[in-house]
Amino acid sequence: AAAEAPLRWEPRCRQQLRHLQDGARIAARLPPRLEGHWVSTGCEVRPGPEFLTRSYLFYSNRLFKAHQFYYWDPSCREPSYSLVIKGKVRLRQASWITRGATEADYHLHKVGIVFHSQRAMREVAAWVNGTSGSGCSGFLPAGRSWAPGALYEVLSAKTERDCTAALGFAMHELSLVRVEKHYQALPRPGGRLVEELYLGDIHTEWGERLHYRPTGYQRPLQNAVHHVHPCPACGIIYRADEHHPPILPTRAELPMQLSGSWVSTHCEVRPAVLFLTRYFIFHGSNHTWEGYYYHYSDPLCKQPTFTIYASGHYTQGIPSSKVRGGTELAFKVTQARVTPMDQVTVMMLNSSEPGSCGLTNSWHAGMEQDITPTNGCLALGIKLPHTEYELFKTEHDARDRSLLFIGERPTDGSSPDRPEKRPTSYQAPLIQCAGASEEFSKYISLKYLGKQDASGNEALKPLPVAFLLFIALQFLRWD
């Protein structure tokens, strides 16, 4: 029967989730102000994998100049090539799909490429020359020697030449925009203003990225003036250009140390209108894990919809042969519980097919129910037992805090349930809030902490159309 279950919380983990649920003093203006210089705060990983840093400059007349610096390595110390992108962007209406975002149109005027080695030039020339695009077959003559600093045009609106497809390049990220302001907590009163620019996500399938219209976000850029301190990479990327790509500081590679508790650093957004925070506990002694996914209906994670608790075990990790710096693991989900947090979710679960999601017609807001006996919950796309093939990475940030990156979920909402579907990029990082030896000293009911989502280790698939319609109706009322 449905019952409230206590959760074990280490005080710092509880404090972090409270902070997120309180909105973390975040302000997001609609429409946002894009003017300014925005930079990556570290080496980014895109599906593929691709390793890059970004530096985007938006002018008050809607023109922009963007730099994308690509690298051979996951530390962004070995530049491959740089793109300089010029164009115009026009903000439109608030997104009716991704709440809190603004839709935009953009037009590219020019895209140029600068190679940083003969190898980079040879590989890119082979990609471009192999395309069937008009005027692209002779982009670079075979055997042409590398000219340091030379800029080659790969797109021109004037000549209607576009040879960017072979690079997997598109700027559809500019079609979904959100700017957040908050204050970084500091010893002195008031804190430091931080501005973050969230741009649309990149599709996890290479063949889809050229025409995919984002509904989620990438790792945010930060304002070059108003950014988190310390940020060793920010100044380096700010001063760089296509001829002088940023070389980021050396960082020690960390061994994979999963044991302990990890929690979201901010309200996260998934494609297809999912807002969530996550909390994981890894028990290294017996390779078991627990995950709490708190789902919300708003981009500040203040309006909970449902929580999922999942648990199981995981395999010993091995270094990834595809994504340098990553570790491959397999996760088995064997148990799960669901707590609906609003009446929309209660109605959906109570109207689900008998025997497909817990006890029939027995769901109540704030009351947890075990869905293991029904092999999951069809209405929420959860199937038990379930195995996922994952990619993990641990890092230290500039303040020496431990971060955990879990593989990015497939954009189409499916599950990485086969080795060939293993992620090649990462979700937003989790921060360690308790070590392996620390005790969980508090008991807090699920209903006071919100809800959860299908993150790095779980069997969540796209939400049913009926549920999305419920959500859409709520959006209409709230807006």
Side-chain angles (χ1 to χ4, degrees), residues 214-232:
T215 56
Y217 303 118
Q218 305 175 63
R219 178 173 173 173
L221 302 175
Q222 292 191 3
N223 189 295
V225 177
H226 304 296
H227 60 77
V228 167
H229 287 259
C231 180

Side-chain angles (χ1 to χ4, degrees), residues 118 121-122 125 129 140-146:
Q118 182 70 41
M121 183 178 189
R122 185 170 60 247
N129 289 340
L140 285 174
R144 183 168 182 173
S145 62
W146 168 53

Side-chain angles (χ1 to χ4, degrees), residues 369-431:
Q369 187 173 159
D370 191 354
I371 59 170
T372 308
T374 53
N375 298 319
C377 180
L378 184 63
L380 294 177
I382 304 173
K383 182 181 178 182
L384 297 174
H386 182 80
T387 299
E388 297 203 343
Y389 295 87
E390 265 300 350
L391 180 74
F392 275 45
K393 176 179 69 168
T394 52
E395 283 184 3
H396 281 157
D397 66 8
R399 294 159 67 183
D400 207 34
R401 298 176 301 180
S402 295
L403 302 178
L404 173 63
F405 293 81
I406 299 177
E408 189 171 357
R409 306 299 296 175
T411 306
D412 64 7
S414 64
S415 168
D417 53 5
R418 301 189 303 276
E420 60 268 25
K421 293 189 70 176
R422 192 186 300 274
T424 56
S425 56
Y426 301 98
Q427 302 175 48
L430 306 173
I431 190 167

Side-chain angles (χ1 to χ4, degrees), residues 220-296:
L221 302 175
Q222 292 191 3
N223 189 295
V225 177
H226 304 296
H227 60 77
V228 167
H229 287 259
C231 180
C234 292
I236 298 171
I237 297 170
Y238 172 78
R239 291 186 292 270
D241 60 35
E242 62 270 27
H243 303 295
H244 307 92
I247 310 296
L248 299 193
T250 303
R251 301 183 70 165
E253 285 197 16
L254 298 179
M256 178 59 62
Q257 298 282 0
L258 273 185
S259 296
S261 302
W262 308 80
V263 67
S264 295
T265 60
H266 62 274
C267 184
E268 300 172 18
V269 182
R270 296 274 190 283
V273 206
L274 290 177
F275 304 101
L276 69 142
T277 57
R278 298 173 288 152
Y279 172 60
F280 287 100
I281 308 165
F282 295 97
H283 308 283
S285 58
N286 58 6
H287 278 212
T288 60
W289 66 276
E290 301 171 75
Y292 300 89
Y293 307 86
Y294 302 96
H295 294 261
Y296 301 82

Side-chain angles (χ1 to χ4, degrees), residues 89-109:
V89 63
R90 180 175 66 90
L91 298 179
R92 297 171 57 211
Q93 72 276 0
S95 172
W96 65 272
I97 297 176
T98 307
R99 192 175 177 202
T102 298
E103 294 179 356
D105 291 326
Y106 72 92
H107 179 69
L108 298 182
H109 299 157

